[in-house]
Amino acid sequence: MPDIDSFFSPEGPLARTVSGYSPRAQQLEMARAIAETIAANSVLVAEAGTGTGKTFAYLVPALLGGGKVIISTGTKTLQDQLFNRDIPTVRAALKAPVTVALLKGRANYVCHYHLERTVQEGLPSLASREEVKYLKLIERYAKVSKSGDKSGLSEVPENAGIWQQVTSTRDNCLGSECPHHKECFVMEARKQALAADVVVVNHHLFFADVMLRDEGLAELLPACNTVIFDEAHQLPETASLFFGETVSTSQLLELARDTEAEALRGAKDFAPLPPAIAAMEKAARDFRLTVEGENTRMPLAATMKNPKFGIALDELLQKLDAMTEMLESQAQRSEGLDNCWQRTREIGASIKRWRNEAEAEGFVRWVEVFSQALQLNATPLSIAEIFNKQLSGSPRAWVFTSATLSVKGDFSHYTSEMGLNAELVAARSACWESPFDFANQALLYVPAGLPDPNSPKYTEEVVKAALPVLKASRGRAFLLCTSLRSMTRAHELLLEAFKAEQLDYPVLLQGQGSRSHMLERFRNTANAVLIGSQSFWEGVDVRGEALSLVVIDKLPFAPPDDPVLAARIDKINKEGRNAFMEYQLPRAVINLKQGAGRLIRDESDRGVLMICDPRLITKPYGRKIWQSLPPMKRTRVLGDVESFFAKR
């Protein structure tokens, strides 16, 4: 095992080469624990408070440990940061001769085949002049780029619609049949990943591959000695997504678009196909319209009460079957038509499985509606057994790390959810507190006199209570809401209040731009208030005085009418256990710790965490919640908050 202590010592290579580096006991202890885990091929669940320096704590033993390492992160942003900044820094400091590769899902790489097809289709198929301009930029980029990674072309926004037409999906990739197979950017990225010592992926890619054997990791995992999950608190949600089955109307519309293009190229003379495609596309759009509203989730039972839903679903399957028959007769004419035929069959089979299977043992079936799409889902009630099988394969080390995995130092909720407490896989868990001086740097304020969070005017009362605190902090705040509805309402109320009080604090609302754009605006404005929901609860780092106050409207309990949560609660309670204490409360605590973690980001930060929910004080479980937060001073008195800010 490498001599970890010497690397983290005050005279060691990190101290000599990394500007601003200072040794931290917690970081060294965590690095030792990870080195032991790698040496023993065991499992470690490691919670590391903000400021521990967990990235270096796992990178040093990972780069020194020898063997192949997969590092999986919560987001592509963190993936890029690790690959472009953190790993090169540590590798240079340690003089470690390791090769590193970055591997993303195929939708992140320009596809030569789909780019060529889109260019050939020409201008009529593009929605705007802006898309025409973007297409030319992408065409030029594909000729000179080594990676084809869309993050390397900043002139085209990541969410621009044109990307869908020039990248491939698991469905529409032609694989080895593709005429551009030899120069494929996805294949090149996979080749580099196979050859590298360290491969940086993200959780979506990891689980897509584990389940679908699609993203190139299937060949990587058998050879791998160590898997490290950073932001590991996100794994249960991501794994549930991939261990289930999903099919959506947007997949069908994409299929219609691709089939239309392939028919034009390879079966122009087959007249019945275009009307069949148009009929299927119309049926998919009509199916979406059978459920009103958007951003809602509902269980299968609720949708089946809607007669329009069942009729439209049958109609869609009928049109899909007709299209399948026609494509079968044309499939031999081109690789693209063959691919469309296979996809039509697979999507049809998925929809029939979803419709016809009685409630499959251990799965819940439900529907999610977005503004433009409707999605049919089958989700496992527990991922523990499925994930446990991955762990008990070849011997290797597994490290799960995040700032938020435990409830008051107890990891049992996380380990049971992930299948890490089974006899086959006994995980060691460890917790390192943040080195920050929370007692002096931060204050927890729970205002008195707020009503029950379910009361109709609750958001009005939250804004009223937050207003004097926002004055004391002179803006410089996040207001984090637990729902989009309360976020929108808080925004309206705050604008009114600032106008009435003549307060000149810019108010930013999630959705007015990309998250990175919103954060940039917030950092560059000395006194802004940013109102957000889930997007800003985690993965956001604003240091210094720009963020001095975090207001949380309610304890982040998941809505109990969510179909997956309701089914899981029901299952736990039927087993004679307490779903609230075992499942709902730990999840809320972990989410709250993430939101609270936005406040103090380095040794010199100071700030107030304001949690408006009176249940923190009135309910017996409230104590368990605030004891899981960093050790700040606590108050219910507004004057204490004003004094805290006045001391600055």
Side-chain angles (χ1 to χ4, degrees):
M1 201 169 84
D3 176 15
I4 293 295
D5 292 34
S6 64
F7 290 98
F8 287 94
S9 73
E11 300 79 35
L14 292 171
R16 286 197 304 272
T17 56
V18 179
S19 72
Y21 175 81
S22 57
R24 297 167 205 168
Q26 296 93 329
Q27 187 181 50
L28 174 58
E29 284 172 25
M30 184 178 173
R32 281 183 195 143
I34 290 170
E36 286 162 15
T37 304
I38 291 171
N41 277 339
S42 55
V43 181
L44 175 69
V45 181
E47 182 175 272
T50 314
T52 305
K54 68 179 164 64
T55 308
F56 281 17
Y58 67 68
L59 282 180
V60 170
L63 298 191
L64 294 172
K68 195 171 189 80
V69 181
I70 293 176
I71 301 173
S72 181
T73 70
T75 60
K76 284 183 287 192
T77 309
L78 187 55
Q79 208 184 342
D80 286 333
Q81 181 187 307
L82 266 172
F83 181 74
N84 295 317
R85 193 185 75 192
D86 298 334
I87 293 177
T89 300
V90 173
R91 181 172 59 180
L94 305 184
K95 296 186 170 59
V98 294
T99 52
V100 188
L102 181 68
L103 187 60
K104 296 180 181 177
R106 64 170 76 247
N108 292 279
Y109 301 96
V110 177
C111 166
H112 292 292
Y113 177 79
H114 287 98
L115 173 61
E116 182 183 74
R117 196 184 76 184
T118 306
V119 170
Q120 282 175 0
E121 278 175 20
L123 308 185
S125 68
L126 299 178
S128 66
R129 279 161 91 173
E130 202 165 46
E131 288 208 336
V132 174
K133 182 183 85 176
Y134 291 158
L135 181 61
K136 285 178 179 160
L137 286 169
I138 294 167
E139 197 182 3
R140 204 175 306 146
Y141 175 67
K143 285 174 182 159
V144 296
S145 171
K146 283 194 172 126
S147 70
D149 185 341
K150 69 181 191 184
S151 68
L153 183 59
S154 54
E155 297 98 310
V156 181
E158 200 176 329
N159 56 358
I162 189 69
W163 284 120
Q164 289 182 339
Q165 299 190 46
V166 298
T167 54
S168 71
T169 63
R170 176 174 172 259
D171 288 339
N172 68 19
C173 171
L174 301 183
S176 56
E177 302 299 313
C178 178
H180 298 276
H181 184 68
K182 284 184 180 157
E183 63 211 35
C184 173
F185 288 126
V186 174
M187 296 310 295
E188 183 54 35
R190 290 179 180 180
K191 208 186 293 173
Q192 288 180 15
L194 275 172
D197 302 310
V198 178
V199 186
V200 184
V201 301
N202 59 59
H203 302 338
H204 274 78
L205 180 72
F206 187 90
F207 285 105
D209 192 75
V210 161
M211 293 314 290
L212 308 172
R213 291 283 179 266
D214 175 54
E215 296 290 359
L217 278 172
E219 301 159 86
L220 281 180
L221 264 177
C224 159
N225 305 86
T226 304
V227 179
I228 297 171
F229 291 109
D230 198 345
E231 303 295 318
H233 63 279
Q234 296 175 6
L235 291 180
E237 198 70 31
T238 311
S240 293
L241 189 73
F242 286 102
F243 291 169
E245 190 171 18
T246 293
V247 61
S248 79
T249 55
S250 51
Q251 261 175 295
L252 291 161
L253 299 182
E254 189 181 84
L255 172 64
R257 189 192 74 207
D258 289 344
T259 311
E260 202 174 356
E262 294 299 346
L264 270 172
R265 294 179 85 180
K268 249 184 186 167
D269 54 351
F270 187 62
L273 187 53
I277 298 166
M280 187 281 284
E281 186 175 0
K282 183 182 182 302
R285 293 188 193 280
D286 289 346
F287 182 43
R288 161 63 190 91
L289 296 173
T290 59
V291 182
E292 288 177 15
E294 56 183 78
N295 297 320
T296 53
R297 297 170 149 212
M298 57 193 76
L300 174 67
T303 57
M304 288 311 182
K305 285 178 191 163
N306 172 357
K308 289 185 203 164
F309 183 89
I311 293 165
L313 185 56
D314 288 343
E315 175 74 5
L316 174 60
L317 281 167
Q318 195 185 328
K319 300 295 186 238
L320 206 53
D321 286 345
M323 193 170 132
T324 308
E325 273 181 45
M326 286 188 198
L327 277 168
E328 186 176 10
S329 71
Q330 304 299 305
Q332 289 178 319
R333 297 180 71 171
S334 76
E335 291 91 351
L337 283 165
D338 184 61
N339 172 268
C340 291
W341 172 50
Q342 302 290 359
R343 281 162 69 188
T344 312
R345 287 172 57 204
E346 282 170 24
I347 292 174
S350 290
I351 295 174
K352 284 170 189 163
R353 262 197 307 279
W354 188 90
R355 183 192 63 175
N356 299 337
E357 283 182 9
E359 200 62 71
E361 182 71 29
F363 279 78
V364 56
R365 285 182 293 159
W366 54 287
V367 172
E368 187 161 18
V369 185
F370 306 96
S371 60
Q372 304 291 325
L374 184 150
Q375 193 165 286
L376 308 175
N377 305 284
T379 304
L381 291 174
S382 166
I383 60 161
E385 204 176 311
I386 312 171
F387 189 68
N388 191 265
K389 281 179 188 157
Q390 304 303 322
L391 271 75
S392 50
S394 314
R396 65 173 63 92
W398 298 82
V399 176
F400 301 79
T401 183
S402 166
T404 55
L405 293 172
S406 76
V407 177
K408 230 178 102 184
D410 177 5
F411 291 86
S412 56
H413 161 72
Y414 186 79
T415 54
S416 63
E417 200 172 7
M418 291 298 294
L420 303 176
N421 55 358
E423 286 171 30
L424 289 170
V425 181
R428 172 190 167 193
S429 56
C431 186
W432 288 277
E433 297 291 340
S434 166
F436 298 155
D437 180 7
F438 279 95
N440 289 306
Q441 286 180 255
L443 182 68
L444 170 60
Y445 172 51
V446 182
L450 278 173
D452 181 88
N454 292 324
S455 64
K457 296 280 185 186
Y458 184 71
T459 305
E460 278 83 342
E461 295 300 320
V462 166
V463 171
K464 211 182 284 180
L467 196 59
V469 186
L470 287 164
K471 283 184 191 173
S473 69
R474 305 194 307 282
R476 304 179 303 161
F478 276 7
L479 170 49
L480 300 178
C481 300
T482 48
S483 73
L484 291 169
R485 189 184 295 136
S486 56
M487 177 187 89
T488 310
R489 183 69 184 128
H491 180 243
E492 290 165 7
L493 292 163
L494 211 53
L495 286 175
E496 285 169 22
F498 284 180
K499 194 176 177 185
E501 299 262 347
Q502 296 184 318
L503 294 170
D504 188 20
Y505 304 150
V507 181
L508 311 177
L509 179 68
Q510 176 184 312
Q512 289 173 338
S514 68
R515 187 169 81 156
S516 54
H517 172 66
M518 299 290 291
L519 281 171
E520 204 173 314
R521 279 177 67 193
F522 181 82
R523 287 191 187 102
N524 294 337
T525 313
N527 57 352
V529 177
L530 189 151
I531 306 172
S533 79
Q534 203 55 50
S535 289
F536 288 90
W537 280 72
E538 59 177 278
V540 172
D541 190 12
V542 180
R543 293 169 190 235
E545 292 198 355
L547 180 58
S548 298
L549 168 66
V550 171
V551 182
I552 291 175
D553 70 337
K554 288 183 193 178
L555 296 175
F557 286 106
D561 58 351
D562 178 273
V564 180
L565 179 66
R568 284 178 177 160
I569 289 170
D570 190 47
K571 177 179 182 279
I572 293 168
N573 288 338
K574 276 180 180 163
E575 290 167 359
R577 291 147 56 206
N578 183 331
F580 180 77
M581 294 307 287
E582 274 187 44
Y583 189 73
Q584 289 164 280
L585 183 62
R587 287 188 81 183
V589 170
I590 286 169
N591 283 340
L592 184 68
K593 284 167 74 173
Q594 277 294 332
R598 299 314 100 218
L599 184 64
I600 303 297
R601 304 301 299 172
D602 68 24
E603 290 91 344
S604 59
D605 275 3
R606 282 179 88 251
V608 170
L609 173 65
M610 176 179 177
I611 302 176
C612 298
D613 197 322
R615 291 174 294 183
L616 203 60
I617 307 298
T618 59
K619 297 289 183 187
Y621 57 76
R623 183 182 181 86
K624 197 169 189 176
I625 295 176
W626 60 252
Q627 285 183 337
S628 295
L629 294 172
M632 327 178 177
K633 286 178 183 155
R634 302 184 304 277
T635 186
R636 305 206 68 194
V637 179
L638 177 61
D640 292 345
V641 175
E642 290 168 335
S643 302
F644 180 91
F645 282 120
K647 275 182 200 163
R648 185 173 288 273

